Amino acid sequence: MRLFAAVGYLNDWSVDIYQNPGATVVSPFGRKTSTGSSVTVRVVTVRPGCATGNLADGGWRIGLEASDNATGAVVGRADVMHVDRKPASITVGTTVGPWTRLGQTGRFRYSSCYQVNGDTGAHIHLEVINRAKYSCYIARGAGAGLGDETVIGRVGTLNPGPQQAC
C-alpha cells in the first residue's frame, strides 16, 4: 500500500498492525544501523492523522527520522498513524529511543480515514519513507502474530526502488 507523500515523495511500504485499543505504541526504530553505527531518532512531525484535522477521525500521525551518528546521514523515515493518547513530551524535535512510548492504539469514529467498526479492527498504520536507499519489509502473511521484538522491515538498505521484500 502506498498512501502518503509525507516529505514530497511516496512511501516505500506500509503496514497496518492490529491490536485492541489501549496497547502501547513505541518508536519502530532500533539503536544501530546494519554497519553497527549508533542511530539518533527525532520526531519530525506531529499532526492529526487524517486530512480532516480532527483527532476523532483517526488520532495522531507522528513522523520520525533516524540518522546515522557516524555519518550524519538520514537512514530512514517513518510515519506512525492512528496513535491515541500521545504524551505531551512527544513534540517536533524530541529525541526518542526504540522503546519510547508514542501513545497507544485507539478506537476512532468511522470516517474516510479510519474505516473500523469494532475494537478488533483497531490498528496503527506504519509507513516507511525514503527518497533513496529504499527500505524493505519482512514478508509475512495476513494475521501473522508479532512479538515485542519482531522485525518488520529494515531502513537504509540499498534496494533500487520501493515496495521490496528484504
Side-chain angles (χ1 to χ4, degrees), residues 26-31 39 41 64 95-102:
V26 298
S27 171
F29 289 107
R31 297 184 191 280
V39 172
V41 178
L64 304 168
T95 300
V96 298
W99 293 103
T100 301
R101 184 179 179 276
L102 303 177

Side-chain angles (χ1 to χ4, degrees), residues 16-25 104-107 114 118-124 146 148:
D16 288 340
I17 301 173
Y18 292 84
Q19 186 63 268
N20 284 333
T24 300
V25 176
Q104 65 185 45
T105 53
R107 174 82 193 289
Y114 189 82
D119 285 351
T120 59
H123 66 280
I124 61 156
L146 302 176
D148 287 344

Side-chain angles (χ1 to χ4, degrees), residues 53-68:
N54 190 332
L55 293 176
D57 289 338
W60 292 99
R61 179 175 170 184
I62 300 169
L64 304 168
E65 187 172 83
S67 298
D68 182 324

Side-chain angles (χ1 to χ4, degrees), residues 54-99:
N54 190 332
L55 293 176
D57 289 338
W60 292 99
R61 179 175 170 184
I62 300 169
L64 304 168
E65 187 172 83
S67 298
D68 182 324
N69 290 337
T71 66
V74 172
V75 294
R77 292 181 60 112
D79 277 352
V80 183
M81 194 167 117
H82 303 316
V83 176
D84 196 18
R85 300 185 186 226
K86 177 192 74 63
S89 61
I90 300 298
T91 59
V92 171
T94 302
T95 300
V96 298
W99 293 103

